[in-house]
Amino acid sequence: MALTFDVRDAEKAREAIENLPEAWQTIDVLVNNAGLALGLEPEYEGDIDEWSTMIDTNIKGLLTMTRLVVPDMVSRNSGHVINVGSVAGDAAYAGGNVYCATKAAVKALSDGLRIDVADSAVRVTNLKPGLVETNFSNVRFRGDTARAANVYQGIKPLTGDDIADVAVFAANAPAHVQIAEVLILATHQASGSVIVRK
C-alpha cells in the first residue's frame, strides 16, 4: 500500500498514519529513508532555505515518523526502526557542512532511541551508506545531470538495492540480535572523502 506525503509536514504524516486501514495499522518495520543534500557551498555562503529543507527532511522528518510509529511498537514489545544515515555523519567533508550535520544527528538520534527502547524488544539500526548512485547527486546539484554523473565516474558505486539488502538482513536477524550500526561503502571508497577512481 503506497501513501504519498511529505515527512516535513507533521500534520500530513500524522493523518497518513492515523488513517491507515485496520489491516495496515500494525507497523513492524519503520525505515526512515527520507534524506537529501542541497549544494556544496561553504557554510558561510550557504542558502538558509536549503538548510531548512535539509534539516526538516533529514532530522525532523525522521523524528516525526519515529514519534508516530514507535509508541505502538513499544506497547506491542515488537518492532524495528531502521534509520538511513550516511558515512557523512561520521566526519564532515568539504562542502558537506549542514548535510553532514544532519547525518550526524541521525546517528545520535538512532543511538538515543536505542537507549530509550532498551527495556523493550524494539530494535534500532543505523545504516550508513557511502557513495550510492541514486538521484541524490542530481538533487544536490539542483538538476545539473552532467555534474551529478561526474560524482560516479571512475568507481562502481553502491546501488539502492545494495542498501536495501543490508536493511533486509538487519530486519531478518534473530530477535535477540540487534544490528546497531552498519557502514556500507563501495569497494574503492575508504571514507566519506577518500575515493579511488580508476
Side-chain angles (χ1 to χ4, degrees):
M1 177 180 178
L3 302 176
T4 303
F5 60 92
D6 187 340
V7 295
R8 295 176 300 168
D9 186 332
E11 192 51 42
K12 292 290 184 192
R14 182 184 315 280
E15 286 174 17
I17 298 301
E18 288 180 352
N19 291 307
L20 283 169
E22 187 173 342
W24 290 90
Q25 288 177 1
T26 300
I27 298 172
D28 298 307
V29 179
L30 168 64
V31 180
N32 281 311
N33 185 47
L36 74 154
L38 295 168
L40 280 170
E41 294 77 18
E43 189 172 323
Y44 60 88
E45 294 178 352
D47 183 298
I48 293 173
D49 290 335
E50 290 184 343
W51 293 348
S52 293
T53 299
M54 286 186 277
I55 291 166
D56 289 351
T57 304
N58 301 357
I59 301 174
K60 291 165 69 178
L62 179 147
L63 283 169
T64 295
M65 295 309 299
T66 299
R67 180 64 181 89
L68 292 171
V69 173
V70 174
D72 187 56
M73 290 181 173
V74 171
S75 69
R76 288 185 287 112
N77 198 37
S78 174
H80 196 152
V81 178
I82 300 175
N83 292 328
V84 180
S86 172
V87 63
D90 290 343
Y93 56 79
N97 44 69
V98 175
Y99 172 72
C100 293
T102 67
K103 291 305 182 173
V106 171
K107 176 181 172 30
L109 292 169
S110 299
D111 292 347
L113 180 61
R114 195 176 307 107
I115 292 166
D116 291 340
V117 299
D119 62 343
S120 76
V122 176
R123 301 181 294 182
V124 180
T125 299
N126 180 23
L127 301 183
K128 303 187 304 182
L131 192 64
V132 183
E133 189 169 10
T134 62
N135 69 337
F136 178 88
S137 291
N138 204 340
V139 171
R140 164 169 263 166
F141 298 129
R142 302 171 188 93
D144 186 337
T145 305
R147 189 173 179 197
N150 284 336
V151 172
Y152 310 106
Q153 292 300 312
I155 187 171
K156 183 171 183 174
L158 301 167
T159 67
D161 286 346
D162 296 325
I163 307 311
D165 286 345
V166 178
V168 169
F169 180 84
N172 284 315
H176 71 287
V177 176
Q178 178 170 219
I179 298 174
E181 192 169 277
V182 182
L183 177 63
I184 312 142
L185 301 174
T187 298
H188 296 290
Q189 179 177 18
S191 71
S193 58
V194 178
I195 299 170
V196 177
R197 299 176 190 277
K198 298 186 177 195

mmCIF file of all heavy atoms in Angstrom, residues 20 22 28 37 57 63 65 73 90 107 115 122 129 138 147-148 159-160 173 197-198:
data_model
loop_
_atom_site.group_PDB
_atom_site.id
_atom_site.type_symbol
_atom_site.label_atom_id
_atom_site.label_comp_id
_atom_site.label_asym_id
_atom_site.label_seq_id
_atom_site.Cartn_x
_atom_site.Cartn_y
_atom_site.Cartn_z
ATOM 1 N N LEU A 20 -4.563 4.845 8.388
ATOM 2 C CA LEU A 20 -4.251 3.564 7.757
ATOM 3 C C LEU A 20 -5.421 2.595 7.946
ATOM 4 O O LEU A 20 -6.028 2.564 9.022
ATOM 5 C CB LEU A 20 -2.997 2.953 8.379
ATOM 6 C CG LEU A 20 -1.657 3.540 7.954
ATOM 7 C CD1 LEU A 20 -0.552 3.018 8.856
ATOM 8 C CD2 LEU A 20 -1.370 3.199 6.503
ATOM 9 N N GLU A 22 -7.289 -0.770 8.895
ATOM 10 C CA GLU A 22 -7.000 -1.610 10.064
ATOM 11 C C GLU A 22 -5.938 -2.672 9.772
ATOM 12 O O GLU A 22 -5.054 -2.918 10.590
ATOM 13 C CB GLU A 22 -8.288 -2.276 10.561
ATOM 14 C CG GLU A 22 -8.090 -3.009 11.866
ATOM 15 C CD GLU A 22 -9.398 -3.536 12.443
ATOM 16 O OE1 GLU A 22 -10.475 -3.061 12.037
ATOM 17 O OE2 GLU A 22 -9.315 -4.425 13.295
ATOM 18 N N ASP A 28 5.504 -3.155 11.518
ATOM 19 C CA ASP A 28 6.573 -3.980 12.077
ATOM 20 C C ASP A 28 7.951 -3.371 11.885
ATOM 21 O O ASP A 28 8.826 -3.509 12.744
ATOM 22 C CB ASP A 28 6.552 -5.380 11.437
ATOM 23 C CG ASP A 28 5.256 -6.111 11.717
ATOM 24 O OD1 ASP A 28 4.882 -6.207 12.895
ATOM 25 O OD2 ASP A 28 4.614 -6.568 10.757
ATOM 26 N N ALA A 37 20.669 16.183 0.211
ATOM 27 C CA ALA A 37 21.677 17.224 0.353
ATOM 28 C C ALA A 37 21.417 18.261 -0.718
ATOM 29 O O ALA A 37 20.978 17.931 -1.819
ATOM 30 C CB ALA A 37 23.083 16.641 0.196
ATOM 31 N N THR A 57 13.842 17.691 6.482
ATOM 32 C CA THR A 57 13.712 16.355 5.890
ATOM 33 C C THR A 57 14.511 15.328 6.671
ATOM 34 O O THR A 57 13.981 14.319 7.132
ATOM 35 C CB THR A 57 14.199 16.373 4.419
ATOM 36 O OG1 THR A 57 13.467 17.361 3.696
ATOM 37 C CG2 THR A 57 14.004 15.005 3.771
ATOM 38 N N LEU A 63 12.276 12.313 12.989
ATOM 39 C CA LEU A 63 11.678 12.423 14.329
ATOM 40 C C LEU A 63 10.158 12.283 14.274
ATOM 41 O O LEU A 63 9.557 11.601 15.117
ATOM 42 C CB LEU A 63 12.055 13.764 14.965
ATOM 43 C CG LEU A 63 13.467 13.866 15.520
ATOM 44 C CD1 LEU A 63 13.803 15.323 15.861
ATOM 45 C CD2 LEU A 63 13.611 12.982 16.750
ATOM 46 N N MET A 65 8.244 10.715 12.032
ATOM 47 C CA MET A 65 7.828 9.335 11.761
ATOM 48 C C MET A 65 8.112 8.426 12.965
ATOM 49 O O MET A 65 7.310 7.538 13.288
ATOM 50 C CB MET A 65 8.516 8.809 10.495
ATOM 51 C CG MET A 65 8.095 9.545 9.231
ATOM 52 S SD MET A 65 6.291 9.655 9.007
ATOM 53 C CE MET A 65 5.862 7.911 8.909
ATOM 54 N N MET A 73 4.953 0.266 18.632
ATOM 55 C CA MET A 73 5.948 -0.806 18.706
ATOM 56 C C MET A 73 6.305 -1.112 20.160
ATOM 57 O O MET A 73 6.381 -2.282 20.564
ATOM 58 C CB MET A 73 7.221 -0.411 17.937
ATOM 59 C CG MET A 73 7.074 -0.368 16.437
ATOM 60 S SD MET A 73 8.678 0.084 15.672
ATOM 61 C CE MET A 73 8.285 -0.140 13.944
ATOM 62 N N ASP A 90 29.792 10.515 10.088
ATOM 63 C CA ASP A 90 30.979 10.184 10.881
ATOM 64 C C ASP A 90 32.026 11.282 10.843
ATOM 65 O O ASP A 90 32.741 11.496 11.811
ATOM 66 C CB ASP A 90 31.607 8.877 10.387
ATOM 67 C CG ASP A 90 30.769 7.654 10.708
ATOM 68 O OD1 ASP A 90 29.870 7.745 11.572
ATOM 69 O OD2 ASP A 90 31.008 6.598 10.091
ATOM 70 N N LYS A 107 22.712 9.644 13.471
ATOM 71 C CA LYS A 107 23.433 8.712 14.338
ATOM 72 C C LYS A 107 23.062 8.941 15.797
ATOM 73 O O LYS A 107 22.742 7.994 16.524
ATOM 74 C CB LYS A 107 24.943 8.844 14.156
ATOM 75 C CG LYS A 107 25.708 7.950 15.136
ATOM 76 C CD LYS A 107 27.183 8.045 15.038
ATOM 77 C CE LYS A 107 27.926 7.304 16.130
ATOM 78 N NZ LYS A 107 27.298 6.121 16.699
ATOM 79 N N ILE A 115 18.686 3.552 23.216
ATOM 80 C CA ILE A 115 18.720 3.629 24.681
ATOM 81 C C ILE A 115 17.294 3.686 25.230
ATOM 82 O O ILE A 115 16.958 2.992 26.192
ATOM 83 C CB ILE A 115 19.534 4.861 25.126
ATOM 84 C CG1 ILE A 115 21.015 4.669 24.775
ATOM 85 C CG2 ILE A 115 19.352 5.135 26.614
ATOM 86 C CD1 ILE A 115 21.845 5.941 24.852
ATOM 87 N N VAL A 122 12.070 -3.792 20.941
ATOM 88 C CA VAL A 122 12.189 -2.970 19.737
ATOM 89 C C VAL A 122 13.674 -2.771 19.423
ATOM 90 O O VAL A 122 14.469 -2.467 20.310
ATOM 91 C CB VAL A 122 11.486 -1.605 19.924
ATOM 92 C CG1 VAL A 122 11.690 -0.717 18.697
ATOM 93 C CG2 VAL A 122 10.001 -1.803 20.202
ATOM 94 N N PRO A 129 25.378 4.504 4.523
ATOM 95 C CA PRO A 129 25.921 4.279 3.183
ATOM 96 C C PRO A 129 26.959 5.330 2.806
ATOM 97 O O PRO A 129 26.904 6.472 3.269
ATOM 98 C CB PRO A 129 24.698 4.414 2.268
ATOM 99 C CG PRO A 129 23.511 4.390 3.164
ATOM 100 C CD PRO A 129 23.971 4.884 4.488
ATOM 101 N N ASN A 138 21.861 14.425 -8.254
ATOM 102 C CA ASN A 138 21.058 15.290 -9.111
ATOM 103 C C ASN A 138 20.308 16.337 -8.278
ATOM 104 O O ASN A 138 20.222 17.507 -8.656
ATOM 105 C CB ASN A 138 20.076 14.441 -9.939
ATOM 106 C CG ASN A 138 19.652 15.130 -11.211
ATOM 107 O OD1 ASN A 138 19.771 16.330 -11.339
ATOM 108 N ND2 ASN A 138 19.149 14.366 -12.152
ATOM 109 N N ARG A 147 26.809 17.252 -14.030
ATOM 110 C CA ARG A 147 27.620 17.376 -12.810
ATOM 111 C C ARG A 147 27.352 16.200 -11.876
ATOM 112 O O ARG A 147 28.262 15.658 -11.255
ATOM 113 C CB ARG A 147 27.316 18.705 -12.114
ATOM 114 C CG ARG A 147 28.254 19.011 -10.971
ATOM 115 C CD ARG A 147 28.022 20.404 -10.417
ATOM 116 N NE ARG A 147 28.913 20.663 -9.300
ATOM 117 C CZ ARG A 147 28.732 21.642 -8.427
ATOM 118 N NH1 ARG A 147 27.710 22.469 -8.561
ATOM 119 N NH2 ARG A 147 29.575 21.810 -7.429
ATOM 120 N N ALA A 148 26.095 15.801 -11.785
ATOM 121 C CA ALA A 148 25.734 14.665 -10.931
ATOM 122 C C ALA A 148 26.387 13.383 -11.422
ATOM 123 O O ALA A 148 26.882 12.577 -10.622
ATOM 124 C CB ALA A 148 24.215 14.507 -10.876
ATOM 125 N N THR A 159 24.360 0.667 -5.041
ATOM 126 C CA THR A 159 23.031 0.943 -5.581
ATOM 127 C C THR A 159 22.030 0.967 -4.426
ATOM 128 O O THR A 159 22.331 0.502 -3.319
ATOM 129 C CB THR A 159 22.599 -0.146 -6.581
ATOM 130 O OG1 THR A 159 22.420 -1.379 -5.862
ATOM 131 C CG2 THR A 159 23.631 -0.327 -7.683
ATOM 132 N N GLY A 160 20.862 1.466 -4.710
ATOM 133 C CA GLY A 160 19.797 1.432 -3.708
ATOM 134 C C GLY A 160 19.491 0.010 -3.271
ATOM 135 O O GLY A 160 19.200 -0.240 -2.099
ATOM 136 N N ALA A 173 17.349 -10.498 11.148
ATOM 137 C CA ALA A 173 18.216 -11.100 12.161
ATOM 138 C C ALA A 173 17.347 -11.713 13.257
ATOM 139 O O ALA A 173 16.214 -11.265 13.492
ATOM 140 C CB ALA A 173 19.141 -10.047 12.753
ATOM 141 N N ARG A 197 39.405 6.507 -7.849
ATOM 142 C CA ARG A 197 38.729 6.382 -9.145
ATOM 143 C C ARG A 197 39.712 5.798 -10.158
ATOM 144 O O ARG A 197 40.868 6.193 -10.199
ATOM 145 C CB ARG A 197 38.219 7.745 -9.598
ATOM 146 C CG ARG A 197 37.219 8.332 -8.613
ATOM 147 C CD ARG A 197 36.769 9.733 -9.006
ATOM 148 N NE ARG A 197 36.007 10.365 -7.957
ATOM 149 C CZ ARG A 197 34.709 10.176 -7.748
ATOM 150 N NH1 ARG A 197 34.010 9.375 -8.543
ATOM 151 N NH2 ARG A 197 34.080 10.790 -6.766
ATOM 152 N N LYS A 198 39.236 4.852 -10.944
ATOM 153 C CA LYS A 198 40.108 4.188 -11.928
ATOM 154 C C LYS A 198 39.561 4.332 -13.326
ATOM 155 O O LYS A 198 38.410 4.450 -13.541
ATOM 156 C CB LYS A 198 40.245 2.703 -11.568
ATOM 157 C CG LYS A 198 40.890 2.522 -10.196
ATOM 158 C CD LYS A 198 41.145 1.074 -9.916
ATOM 159 C CE LYS A 198 41.866 0.955 -8.563
ATOM 160 N NZ LYS A 198 42.462 -0.322 -8.351
#
